[in-house]
Amino acid sequence: MSLKKQALSGVFWSIIQLFGNLLINFGISLILARLLLPSEFGLIAMLGVFIGIGSTLISSGLTSSLIRTPKVDDLDYSTVFHFNLVGSIIIYLVFYFGAPFIAAFYDQESLINILRVYCITFIINAFSAVQSTRLTKMLDFKTQAKISIPSLLLGGIVGVMMAFNGFGVWSLVASAVVQSLAGSMQLWYYSKWKPQWAFDVTKFKHHFNFGVKIMLSSILDTIFSNAYTLIIGKFFAPAQVGFYNRASTLRMLPVTSISSIVTKVSYPLFAAIQDDDVRLKSVYKRIMQMVIFLVAPILILMAVLAEPLFRFLYTEKWLPAVPYFQILAFGAIMTPIHIYNLQILNVKGRSDLFLRLEIIKKILAVVVITISFQFGIFGLLYGSIFSSLASFFINTHYSGKFLNYSAWQQTKDLLPIIALAALAGAVVYFLDNFMVQQLYNDFTRLSTGSVVGVMTFLISAYLLKMNSLEELIDIIKRK
């Protein structure tokens, strides 16, 4: 199968996985948000930074090294497997004994046992990380879809059943553990790969030297991605953390879902053509435009229809999260651009530059947070948008040089798409506020706004003959 056919097949099966996961997540989050309190979601959100750091330490970036290394064998995979597994046990013990200190930081004693149980997922996920990496390297996203959807469904069912029976926050903990366990078991079954009882120091050094920089970059990113939750959790009530987390989670749902489809395909694809800068730039540009073409209109329409969206999905008790969501949604449009610019550094083997950029961005983030915190939660939210815009120019510095594709050129290629999405949002805003809102219920408002917004965006893109629309149609026709 040619590289292009592999990529198209990967996109197709990743889309199957995406929509399967979206439908399941939609149903589960809808039920759990109605059964549980915002404060209970807030308790889990408080642990996000610590869970994220633990997950990053386990992989140490070695799995990324396996994907980008052209030729790897069983000894490479086995070496990384044993290191990840032993590392996950050590990290779990660190968090187990450190849980009381984390709980004391938030002044929430219940977090001790929650963290100790939740972090079992570290060991479970490390047990199957290499199997998942092998499937990604082979562009076998069909198998990953067959694994992901049942795992999510089983974890969700367990969580909902426990929530119905009054287990509160433990419903969320159990759901995560069951999902990880189900996924790990299936990866072992479907991957048909078993580790050797072997560990090669030379191969470990090769992967670690690349991966450790990715690990440090990811830790920094995890800390600062969760910095707002950390600060809100420290100085505000758990319910406020819950509102912020619900808003952040919902705005990242289309970004993470769509980006993860393309990222799983693009990283091994970029790695395969890493030495052909002309072709790499062409593929990179098309992928980035495609992702923004999908993400921008969804986020803008969700922001415009945020009030009926939250009330319809989560009931009235979640409405305080609406203004948080509207601010965060506009900032999230930039997220895919950050991801793909940094991917170029990885496939070029320049994880040192990756780390350097992360350090620069985090210094900027500290300054922004320090200033914006003085203006409360909304100051923090607007500050995050400023950080996102500034990070775009920082991220494009080196990738732009490698590909001869500067921040200004990228802006010119992406701005028309974002402008069309804004136009669609303006049309829906006018329609909803001056016509539909006074006459119809939330479901009708959402349905009408979505149809009008999507049609406005697609018709405009068709009239302007946008390449992203043509490529999207081509992908659909091929499958």
Side-chain angles (χ1 to χ4, degrees), residues 11 254-268 270 280 283-295 333-348 354 361 392 395-396 398-400 402-403 405 410 414:
V11 169
V255 176
T256 303
S257 300
I258 294 172
S259 293
S260 65
I261 288 178
V262 184
T263 300
K264 284 200 297 185
V265 177
S266 65
Y267 188 51
F270 288 163
L280 183 59
V283 172
Y284 167 76
K285 174 182 175 180
R286 291 161 60 191
I287 285 178
M288 191 167 61
Q289 287 179 317
M290 175 64 72
V291 173
I292 296 300
F293 186 84
L294 296 172
V295 167
I333 294 174
M334 301 295 293
T335 301
I337 308 174
H338 301 325
I339 294 172
Y340 299 118
N341 270 286
L342 294 175
Q343 264 194 355
I344 297 300
L345 300 184
N346 285 342
V347 299
K348 288 292 186 179
F354 189 114
K361 288 187 295 182
F392 168 69
N395 287 335
T396 54
Y398 289 114
S399 61
F402 282 126
L403 300 181
Y405 193 29
Q410 293 186 38
L414 298 176

Side-chain angles (χ1 to χ4, degrees), residues 73-258:
D73 54 27
D74 274 355
L75 191 53
D76 288 273
Y77 289 124
S78 297
T79 298
V80 173
F81 173 86
H82 292 304
F83 177 79
N84 282 354
L85 187 58
V86 173
S88 70
I89 296 172
I90 294 172
I91 293 166
Y92 174 76
L93 292 174
V94 170
F95 277 94
Y96 183 91
F97 291 108
F101 300 100
I102 295 172
F105 172 79
Y106 287 117
D107 195 24
Q108 297 287 336
E109 187 177 355
S110 61
L111 290 178
I112 297 175
N113 290 329
I114 292 173
L115 183 63
R116 287 174 171 174
V117 175
Y118 202 112
C119 287
I120 293 173
T121 58
F122 293 168
I123 301 174
I124 297 172
N125 292 336
F127 199 63
S128 57
V130 171
Q131 284 85 344
S132 178
T133 299
R134 290 184 77 254
L135 294 176
T136 299
K137 191 173 180 67
M138 295 184 293
L139 297 176
D140 185 1
F141 301 106
K142 178 179 181 180
T143 299
Q144 292 190 50
K146 290 166 60 177
I147 293 171
S148 173
I149 294 174
S151 301
L152 181 60
L153 182 60
L154 181 60
I157 290 173
V158 170
V160 169
M161 290 178 62
M162 291 184 65
F164 265 121
N165 286 279
F167 283 90
V169 67
W170 287 103
S171 309
L172 302 173
V173 177
S175 179
V177 173
V178 170
Q179 181 182 340
S180 293
L181 185 60
S184 184
M185 292 173 64
Q186 290 182 89
L187 280 167
W188 270 76
Y189 175 78
Y190 285 111
S191 71
K192 308 300 180 184
W193 178 84
K194 304 295 183 293
Q196 301 175 359
W197 287 102
F199 187 92
D200 188 283
V201 176
T202 302
K203 290 182 178 293
F204 169 73
K205 288 181 178 178
H206 167 75
H207 295 298
F208 186 78
N209 287 338
F210 175 83
V212 69
K213 301 179 186 72
I214 300 299
M215 177 192 72
L216 294 174
S217 301
S218 297
I219 289 175
L220 283 173
D221 189 59
T222 298
I223 292 173
F224 283 88
S225 295
N226 290 275
Y228 296 98
T229 301
L230 198 69
I231 294 171
I232 296 171
K234 175 64 177 176
F235 295 101
F236 298 90
Q240 292 298 108
V241 185
F243 293 135
Y244 171 81
N245 178 254
R246 176 58 51 185
S248 181
T249 300
L250 186 59
R251 62 105 184 209
M252 287 305 295
L253 185 60
V255 176
T256 303
S257 300
I258 294 172

Side-chain angles (χ1 to χ4, degrees), residues 362-375:
K362 295 342 174 196
I363 293 173
L364 172 65
V366 169
V367 174
V368 173
I369 289 174
T370 301
I371 296 173
S372 62
F373 176 69
Q374 302 175 51
F375 301 95

Side-chain angles (χ1 to χ4, degrees), residues 391-430:
S391 294
F392 168 69
F393 294 98
I394 296 172
N395 287 335
T396 54
H397 178 71
Y398 289 114
S399 61
K401 287 185 176 179
F402 282 126
L403 300 181
N404 191 29
Y405 193 29
S406 66
W408 172 241
Q409 290 175 313
Q410 293 186 38
T411 301
K412 288 196 298 182
D413 288 334
L414 298 176
L415 197 57
I417 300 174
I418 298 174
L420 279 190
L423 172 64
V427 171
V428 172
Y429 177 83
F430 176 83

